[in-house]
Each structure stands twice: as C-alpha cells, then as structure tokens.
Amino acid sequence: AQSVTQPDIHITVSEGASLELRCNYSYGATPYLFWYVQSPGQGLQLLLKYFSGDTLVQGIKGFEAEFKRSQSSFNLRKPSVHWSDAAEYFCAHAYSGGGADGLTFGKGTHLIIQP
Amino acid sequence: SQTIHQWPATLVQPVGSPLSLECTVEGTSNPNLYWYRQAAGRGLQLLFYSVGIGQISSEVPQNLSASRPQDRQFILSSKKLLLSDSGFYLCAWSNGRGETQYFGPGTRLLVL
C-alpha cells in the first residue's frame, strides 16, 4: 500500500534559522508529490508540487523541495524561517495511474518558531 | 478564479443525530471532488471522492455517506452520528487524477 512518512512530529526552529522537513514515500512508480501547509483551524494551502522534470522545485513563501528517487524522499526546505511559518506541514503523494484517487498524506509535522 | 466553500464552519451535534455538510466549488466545471477527515494527530484520511454527478467512491467503510447532486456540489451525510465522527472535515477539488487538490476552509464537527 502507498504510504507517506513524516518522521518528525514536532520541530522547533529559531526565527531566521534554516529549516528542513523530512518526507519519505513508499510507491514503486514515480509519484506526484505535494507539500501543503495548514494554519490552526484552517484548510490546507499548497506550497509546492513535483510531477516530473527538475527535481528541485520552488514554491510559495520561499519554500523549496527536492525529489530524490534513490532515497524515496521529498524534503521541504527554507533558508530562513519567519515567525509566520509556524504551522502544520503535510507531505502527500498521488498515484499516477488511472482513476481519481485522493492524496495519501503523511501525519504532518508541527513547526514551532522560537523568537 | 476558482473558489471552494464549506459550511457550516463549526457544528456541535449530539450522538445519534443526523449530519449534512455541504461543499461547493465555483469557477470550474466537472471537477473531481473529495471529502477528507482530519482527526487530532492522525493526518488526513480520504473518505469519499467523486468524478461526476451521482458518482461516489468510498475509501473507508463507516456510517457516513456522500452525494453529488450537482456538478459542483458535494455533500457529506450521516443518519446517526457517533462520537468517533468528531473531527475536522475538509472538502477538496481537482481537475483530474493526480492533479493538485485545492482545499476548502473545513468544517469542525464535535459530537457530544
């Protein structure tokens, strides 16, 4: 079965420091990969996505992610975090075959920003 | 541009009562529509998806049901709520399989 693993439940980072959130997927073929962010009590906002091509993708709010097939990973990075980045982050993938399946999500990483 | 609406935003219901949550999408035609549930600390779980009017696929057996009476309307229902139905319910749409899904603001349901 397809799965997405986000090994870090909570991460605390100082404002201005760099950030890396880990994501590993379990799927044989090339997946479609996504990172979403969720502020408390809100819906999910798409940060970036990878379908094919360049393995380093740029997203909104200064985020980027790198697809590494050999490691089955799609880690999210930001060089300098802001207090407003505190939120829940979800990695997800979609099955690239036929049909209309939804996304498979990781359980999320809660990002805390220290002043 | 496309927008997605969900209502109500918050709902408190007693155990055994019925449920109806509504989701509507504007600015697109024939979208794929999805219902997810987010329970505390458990990520998002796909409940139902629909590729067209009257076409519903269920991912998880439960006491919930979904309907799509119109192209851009997706409804989540229950005849009798359980305590375990509490959670945050998110509706999403996409232009097709594997495409980016765009989420609504969610409905927080508390069953007492």
Side-chain angles (χ1 to χ4, degrees):
Chain A
Q2 308 155 44
S3 66
V4 176
T5 302
Q6 293 180 248
D8 304 305
I9 298 174
H10 301 279
I11 282 188
T12 301
V13 178
S14 298
E15 190 170 13
S18 63
L19 170 71
E20 182 169 31
L21 302 182
R22 295 183 291 166
C23 173
N24 294 95
Y25 65 91
S26 171
Y27 183 61
T30 300
Y32 298 156
L33 294 161
F34 308 82
W35 274 100
Y36 287 85
V37 60
Q38 184 182 34
S39 297
Q42 303 297 313
L44 275 69
Q45 181 183 25
L46 179 70
L47 287 176
L48 48 77
K49 61 187 178 184
Y50 171 79
F51 283 2
S52 64
D54 193 347
T55 56
L56 183 63
V57 294
Q58 302 297 320
I60 62 171
K61 304 184 180 185
F63 285 93
E64 66 178 27
E66 186 171 12
F67 170 62
K68 292 185 177 180
R69 184 190 302 275
S70 61
Q71 299 176 21
S72 297
S73 69
F74 189 57
N75 294 348
L76 182 71
R77 300 193 295 246
K78 186 170 185 178
S80 176
V81 297
H82 186 262
W83 64 266
S84 60
D85 293 325
E88 193 85 15
Y89 290 81
F90 292 95
C91 181
H93 79 59
Y95 175 49
S96 56
D101 296 316
L103 298 176
T104 300
F105 283 86
K107 293 189 176 182
T109 297
H110 184 58
L111 177 62
I112 301 166
I113 306 296
Q114 282 183 334
Chain B
S1 64
Q2 300 86 6
T3 56
I4 179 169
H5 304 279
Q6 288 185 245
W7 61 89
T10 305
L11 191 59
V12 182
Q13 292 285 95
V15 170
S17 65
L19 173 73
S20 181
L21 303 182
E22 189 165 344
C23 169
T24 58
V25 181
E26 296 176 357
T28 187
S29 296
N30 196 31
N32 287 351
L33 295 172
Y34 307 86
W35 277 112
Y36 290 87
R37 177 168 58 201
Q38 185 179 24
R42 296 183 61 183
L44 281 82
Q45 180 186 40
L46 178 66
L47 301 176
F48 300 95
Y49 67 88
S50 171
V51 299
I53 295 174
Q55 301 179 62
I56 308 295
S57 296
S58 174
E59 290 293 304
V60 182
Q62 58 218 322
N63 71 317
L64 299 172
S65 62
S67 61
R68 185 169 177 175
Q70 300 180 44
D71 181 45
R72 288 167 289 178
Q73 184 184 32
F74 205 24
I75 297 173
L76 183 69
S77 304
S78 174
K79 293 182 179 178
K80 288 186 178 182
L81 283 169
L82 306 173
L83 287 174
S84 57
D85 291 325
S86 294
F88 193 48
Y89 289 82
L90 290 157
C91 181
W93 73 271
S94 75
N95 281 324
R97 186 176 221 254
E99 297 292 326
T100 302
Q101 292 187 17
Y102 298 95
F103 285 81
T107 294
R108 185 161 303 282
L109 172 65
L110 179 60
V111 182
L112 301 175

